[in-house]
Amino acid sequence: MSWLDGLDEDDEPDYDETDVRVRPNPKANRPRTKRRPAHADAVVCRVLGVDRGRYTVLVDEDGPREHTASATRARELRRTPIVTGDRARVVGDTSGTEGTLARIVGIEERTSLLRRSADDTDQVERIVVANADQMLIVVAAADPEPRERLVDRYLVAALDAGIRPLMVVTKTDLADPGRFLEHFDGLDLRVFTSARGRMPVAEVGAALIGRSTVFVGHSGVGKSTLVNALVPTAGRATGHVNEVTGRGRHTSSSTVSLRYRGDLGTGWVIDTPGVRSFGLGHVDPANLLRGFSDLDDVARECPRGCTHLPDAPDCAIVDAVREGRLGTRGAARLDSLQRLLATFADRT
């Protein structure tokens, strides 16, 4: 027997959609939207350093209230690399007071990007620094021995990024760097020399004014010593060279921007950890010749599609080296270029 028994059709209740009860959102939050705040109140700051997910930023650069603050990145930037030298848009508490934390919500367009890869076959790039306009390559005349091909790689990476290269040769009191420097004859490369008690602080400092300069070099060449001389408050750790292996010990563990202050003005020194290799897997092989500007000029006479490798027919560079038109170091320069080109040819 049913409770409906005995009811007429007219007695049946009427139902419509207004009687439907909708359960509220169990999480009690509004649906996600792709629209993000405009952050009109964001201030543009320079990223001075990165340490375990925290960013030291410079607020009001060159202004009356210049100071540093600590910041973290916004969730929407979790896949965006933020590196030393970036110009970041920052919101929140930028007072720099102890215990406060601001938030980076965007990155301004970069003027340059210095990158490296683990090796020449690895096309995954690792960003070294952003917005640098100069690279100062630091090498030692001895202890450890200078590596011409490593410097060639620095030059390729710098010119690929549109950064002007400079070079400092340290420890010239231990060995004459003349033969090493012959390898770079014909390049538009300004070279400073340094020795014990004769560090070219004033000359190098003058080249830093108004510039953002990234310092790179093999471990143990004296890069941190030079940085400390230029920026006395830097406090960068210095190391020594292992007498058995001839290798330097890594002392700088992170990339950091330091203000250089000289009699004629200021600039930025960006110190990087010492490296023993500098992969170019991210570089377009077509741009390799930019790091060999002396050979690049001759390459204009090469036939279209010339590989510049030893078996390349009618290669103008090979002919110029054979005829002695590129000087005593022309063969070594060509060998460095061909080694790089061969590596990229194998990769493809």
Side-chain angles (χ1 to χ4, degrees):
M1 183 173 181
S2 170
W3 66 273
L4 291 174
D5 292 343
L7 289 178
D8 295 332
E9 292 184 359
D10 293 338
D11 296 328
E12 294 181 3
D14 294 329
Y15 294 101
D16 58 31
E17 294 181 355
T18 61
D19 298 304
V20 177
R21 183 179 175 217
V22 180
R23 292 184 61 188
N25 187 337
K27 295 185 178 180
N29 55 14
R30 292 188 296 177
R32 292 179 62 85
T33 175
K34 293 183 178 180
R35 298 181 60 185
R36 293 290 181 266
H39 297 301
D41 59 338
V43 294
V44 177
C45 305
R46 177 188 292 270
V47 177
L48 299 181
V50 184
D51 182 19
R52 291 171 291 185
R54 291 293 183 265
Y55 301 85
T56 301
V57 297
L58 186 66
V59 184
D60 193 30
E61 181 176 347
D62 295 326
R65 295 181 297 173
E66 179 182 287
H67 63 276
T68 61
S70 183
T72 186
R73 74 169 70 202
R75 178 178 296 179
E76 56 265 31
L77 296 181
R78 63 185 180 275
R79 297 185 180 276
T80 302
I82 303 174
V83 299
T84 302
D86 266 326
R87 305 286 292 173
R89 289 185 286 114
V90 183
V91 298
D93 192 339
T94 59
S95 66
T97 305
E98 184 177 358
T100 60
L101 190 64
R103 185 160 55 100
I104 297 176
V105 295
I107 299 296
E108 298 286 274
E109 183 177 357
R110 292 157 168 163
T111 58
S112 68
L113 203 60
L114 178 64
R115 301 165 293 168
R116 63 181 288 256
S117 56
D119 54 52
D120 291 339
T121 61
D122 184 3
Q123 298 186 46
V124 178
E125 65 184 39
R126 290 158 176 77
I127 301 176
V128 179
V129 67
N131 299 321
D133 43 35
Q134 289 187 148
M135 173 194 282
L136 185 70
I137 304 167
V138 184
V139 297
D143 191 31
E145 293 296 319
R147 297 167 54 187
E148 297 169 349
R149 292 192 177 91
L150 179 59
V151 176
D152 285 340
R153 289 172 174 273
Y154 287 141
L155 293 173
V156 169
L159 296 174
D160 180 68
I163 299 173
R164 178 195 178 198
L166 308 169
M167 185 161 63
V168 173
V169 183
T170 64
K171 306 182 183 181
T172 56
D173 53 306
L174 301 181
D176 182 0
R179 184 170 179 80
F180 165 75
L181 292 176
E182 285 179 2
H183 183 77
F184 307 100
D185 284 347
L187 297 184
D188 182 16
L189 177 65
R190 185 177 180 184
V191 178
F192 306 89
T193 57
S194 176
R196 183 182 295 274
R198 300 194 309 275
M199 191 174 293
V201 176
E203 295 86 344
V204 173
L208 303 179
I209 294 175
R211 304 281 187 176
S212 182
T213 307
V214 54
F215 284 46
V216 298
H218 189 288
S219 303
V221 297
K223 178 170 58 65
S224 295
T225 300
L226 177 61
V227 169
N228 288 336
L230 291 165
V231 186
T233 59
R236 300 298 273 176
T238 58
H240 64 281
V241 177
N242 188 298
E243 295 180 0
V244 177
T245 64
R247 292 182 174 182
R249 181 171 61 87
H250 294 301
T251 53
S252 301
S253 59
S254 62
T255 300
V256 62
S257 290
L258 304 164
R259 175 98 72 171
Y260 168 76
R261 301 183 185 277
D263 295 336
L264 300 178
T266 65
W268 287 99
V269 170
I270 306 175
D271 190 22
T272 63
V275 297
R276 298 191 181 107
S277 64
F278 204 93
L280 300 175
H282 63 282
V283 176
D284 183 347
N287 293 334
L288 284 177
L289 263 174
R290 295 181 62 186
F292 299 81
S293 56
D294 52 337
L295 304 184
D296 193 19
D297 291 338
V298 180
R300 298 173 185 175
E301 304 172 11
C302 290
R304 184 184 299 272
C306 181
T307 63
H308 313 300
L309 293 173
D311 58 351
D314 302 322
C315 177
I317 303 177
V318 174
D319 291 344
V321 170
R322 184 185 303 116
E323 297 167 6
R325 289 187 280 123
L326 294 180
T328 58
R329 302 297 291 173
R333 296 281 295 160
L334 177 59
D335 180 63
S336 293
L337 173 63
Q338 289 178 338
R339 284 173 179 266
L340 290 174
L341 290 172
T343 300
F344 281 84
D346 293 340
R347 189 184 74 184
T348 57

